[in-house]
Amino acid sequence: MYSSWRLLNLSPNNQNSTSHYNAGTWGIVQGQLRPLLAPRVYTLPMVRSIGKTMVQGKNYGPQITVKRISTRGRKCKPIFVQIARQVVKLNASDLRLPSRAWKVKLVGEGADDAGGVFDDTITEMCQELETGIVDLLIPSPNATAEVGYNRDRFLFNPSACLDEHLMQFKFLGILMGVAIRTKKPLDLHLAPMVWKQLCCIPLILEDLEEVDLLYVQTLNSILHIEDSGITEENFHEMIPLDSFVGQSADGKMVPIIPGGNSIPLTFSNRKEYVERAIEYRLHEMDRQVAAVREGMSWIVPVPLLSLLTAKQLEQMVCGMPEISVEVLKKVVRYREVDEQHQLVQWFWHTLEEFSNEERVLFMRFVSGRSRLPANTADISQRFQIMKVDRPYDSLPTSQTCFFQLRLPPYSSQVIMAERLRYAINNCRSIDMDNYMLSRNVDNAEGSDTDY
């Protein structure tokens, strides 16, 4: 396979599966054979393609302006929306960089982006997506009903279909491509069926059941309603639906086929109704998925996604949700201190005692990010622990651009843990003593409506 994958038609539109000669290719396109592929078959082609299309000689891409501080009573637009509108107007070829696809200028804030601001705004955009500030994602129906699997996962919003929405979905795809190219994961929790669609594996009924258990049970009860003693005479007394409408992922009642509002649902056509309802739900996010894949194609070769399983793609984009202390120990570098120093020993003990939620906050504090890549070798920047000459039991500080934690001396591990917890929970803004604050504000006068 590694020698011959270039000969295969990996297009999801390849529907010609009649010949036994292309049964293997069909198995890969449909997804059944992808788990059997050796890692180098699906990773090395991507790595080499990314390497050959990398922008050389630049540390960062075009400058993007972001305004987070409201002025003159005007509320700022979400960071995701601000950056999306600027990035989609750029040339795709200018964004294929190894680290920062663009450089962020924060208006009215004393921060200079050497990487930390870029990472921090990426994390903020992920939070905007999952908290509903930007309406591209919705919680899974299982989350709303509190049943079944994937209650902590999100789907693309099928109602977000305006041109502005599709532009934003395209930018989400760009973000995913940047995460793959730079090996800096996104903190997103998308349902497995979303990842399956992004790597072009056709969905089946079980995929729908994993995100909307109650709806699938409802459809099954309609299909086999005769088992409950329901006949054609009392069908409408038991079924509240009277036409070909069904429930969308966002809870809205919608026609499941064109003109479905005027097509009566009867005892005799209930099987067709169920088939149409399932077909609708398995394809209701197609436009959003296509927009995301278009954005991904700006940054990475999307045909190669047809070699990946849904889980492999999720790990490429989102890394690992658990922050491993052992991984951090493998990539650490000490400055002004060594690993035998009591300060260092206390630090590692403290981090091991943290919950994963606290370790995520710690990662945000020292790097601007909240995820680590799935592969330790993909961590391009060493984690630095630096001892600084400051008063005993002071708050720790960090430099997110350099993945650096600065520790003052402490009188005990308990106090260190308390100071560290305070810092990661309360000190999230990136600032450098406001040395450029006045200049940024002056430059931004009169431009509030741009953000």
Side-chain angles (χ1 to χ4, degrees):
M1 272 298 302
Y2 179 67
S3 303
S4 60
W5 67 266
R6 293 174 185 82
L7 304 176
L8 306 181
N9 182 358
L10 298 176
S11 168
N13 300 319
N14 173 22
Q15 300 296 323
N16 181 19
S17 61
T18 56
S19 168
H20 66 274
Y21 291 112
N22 62 12
T25 302
W26 184 245
I28 291 174
V29 170
Q30 294 292 294
Q32 298 96 322
L33 295 183
R34 297 190 200 184
L36 303 180
L37 298 179
R40 69 173 188 159
V41 175
Y42 60 81
T43 56
L44 286 184
M46 180 71 74
V47 168
R48 288 173 177 171
S49 297
I50 286 174
K52 289 181 179 179
T53 55
M54 195 75 77
V55 174
Q56 302 296 333
K58 287 186 177 181
N59 293 324
Y60 52 84
Q63 180 169 284
I64 298 298
T65 306
V66 174
K67 187 171 184 180
R68 302 191 295 187
I69 301 175
S70 300
T71 55
R72 285 178 277 178
R74 297 180 182 179
K75 189 176 179 180
C76 297
K77 289 183 171 61
I79 296 171
F80 184 94
V81 174
Q82 292 184 46
I83 297 181
R85 290 178 177 175
Q86 297 173 71
V87 168
V88 296
K89 296 177 182 178
L90 301 173
N91 292 324
S93 58
D94 292 335
L95 302 176
R96 299 178 191 135
L97 279 86
S99 55
R100 278 178 291 163
W102 51 85
K103 181 175 181 177
V104 178
K105 177 184 178 183
L106 296 177
V107 175
E109 297 184 60
D112 191 12
D113 184 13
V117 178
F118 174 80
D119 289 344
D120 194 61
T121 52
I122 296 282
T123 301
E124 287 196 49
M125 287 191 283
C126 291
Q127 292 175 342
E128 289 178 342
L129 287 167
E130 294 196 348
T131 55
I133 294 175
V134 178
D135 59 351
L136 298 190
L137 304 184
I138 56 171
S140 71
N142 279 352
T144 306
E146 297 185 347
V147 298
Y149 300 114
N150 296 305
R151 299 189 209 179
D152 59 343
R153 298 295 181 123
F154 294 82
L155 303 174
F156 292 157
N157 185 354
S159 296
C161 51
L162 300 175
D163 288 344
E164 175 76 8
H165 289 134
L166 295 178
M167 177 276 291
Q168 292 174 10
F169 275 114
K170 179 179 177 179
F171 174 64
L172 176 57
I174 292 172
L175 277 182
M176 290 181 175
V178 168
I180 293 174
R181 182 173 281 271
T182 62
K183 300 181 176 63
K184 289 193 172 183
L186 303 179
D187 188 11
L188 291 176
H189 305 80
L190 302 177
M193 68 182 296
V194 176
W195 298 110
K196 284 187 74 171
Q197 287 186 281
L198 289 176
C199 58
C200 288
I201 298 176
L203 299 180
I204 57 177
L205 180 61
E206 285 74 13
D207 296 316
L208 177 58
E209 188 175 28
E210 286 187 353
V211 296
D212 198 347
L213 177 62
L214 294 184
Y215 189 61
V216 172
Q217 289 177 343
T218 299
L219 293 178
N220 279 329
S221 66
I222 294 175
L223 183 62
H224 302 292
I225 200 166
E226 70 280 1
D227 296 342
S228 303
I230 307 301
T231 63
E232 190 167 1
E233 285 70 30
N234 61 2
F235 179 74
H236 281 295
E237 296 176 12
M238 304 303 298
I239 301 298
L241 298 170
D242 57 8
S243 62
F244 272 51
V245 297
Q247 193 171 39
S248 180
D250 58 1
K252 298 177 181 177
M253 298 304 294
V254 295
I256 56 176
I257 56 175
N261 286 315
S262 58
I263 301 175
L265 169 62
T266 65
F267 182 83
S268 58
N269 69 7
R270 69 189 187 282
K271 180 179 179 182
E272 181 187 359
Y273 169 83
V274 170
E275 290 174 349
R276 296 284 191 161
I278 292 171
E279 184 73 6
Y280 175 85
R281 285 296 297 273
L282 295 183
H283 291 279
E284 67 176 334
M285 298 187 297
D286 282 359
R287 290 182 67 188
Q288 291 77 14
V289 169
V292 172
R293 279 178 59 88
E294 181 187 356
M296 293 179 76
S297 72
W298 275 35
I299 312 296
V300 296
V302 291
L304 294 182
L305 301 185
S306 292
L307 294 173
L308 300 173
T309 65
K311 188 65 177 177
Q312 289 159 358
L313 178 59
E314 181 181 10
Q315 286 191 351
M316 275 191 176
V317 175
C318 296
M320 301 301 290
E322 298 285 327
I323 302 298
S324 168
V325 176
E326 292 307 310
V327 169
L328 290 177
K329 285 182 177 180
K330 289 178 181 177
V331 298
V332 72
R333 176 187 173 195
Y334 301 104
R335 297 183 59 184
E336 312 298 332
V337 71
D338 60 56
E339 62 181 327
Q340 303 303 324
H341 196 282
Q342 190 174 54
L343 193 66
V344 171
Q345 299 297 315
W346 284 349
F347 167 74
W348 290 121
H349 288 148
T350 298
L351 207 58
E352 286 165 354
E353 291 170 358
F354 276 7
S355 66
N356 187 63
E357 289 74 19
E358 288 175 319
R359 287 197 288 267
V360 167
L361 289 175
F362 172 78
M363 273 294 295
R364 176 84 185 272
F365 178 70
V366 296
S367 72
R369 295 281 183 149
S370 51
R371 294 274 182 116
L372 288 171
N375 186 353
T376 306
D378 289 337
I379 302 177
S380 57
Q381 197 172 30
R382 300 283 294 272
F383 171 43
Q384 299 181 50
I385 298 177
M386 182 177 180
K387 182 176 178 293
V388 292
D389 185 17
R390 295 180 59 203
Y392 264 79
D393 300 335
S394 302
L395 285 172
T397 57
S398 66
Q399 283 193 302
T400 55
C401 296
F402 305 109
F403 198 1
Q404 183 182 97
L405 174 68
R406 298 183 165 204
L407 289 175
Y410 290 101
S411 52
S412 71
Q413 184 191 336
V414 173
I415 293 178
M416 172 192 276
E418 185 268 325
R419 295 292 189 268
L420 198 55
R421 279 193 170 95
Y422 184 90
I424 64 177
N425 281 285
N426 298 283
C427 308
R428 302 186 189 183
S429 64
I430 297 178
D431 211 313
M432 297 198 317
D433 298 326
N434 295 322
Y435 83 98
M436 58 193 296
L437 182 61
S438 59
R439 184 182 64 185
N440 271 356
V441 171
D442 291 343
N443 290 344
E445 282 300 312
S447 59
D448 293 60
T449 55
D450 294 336
Y451 306 109

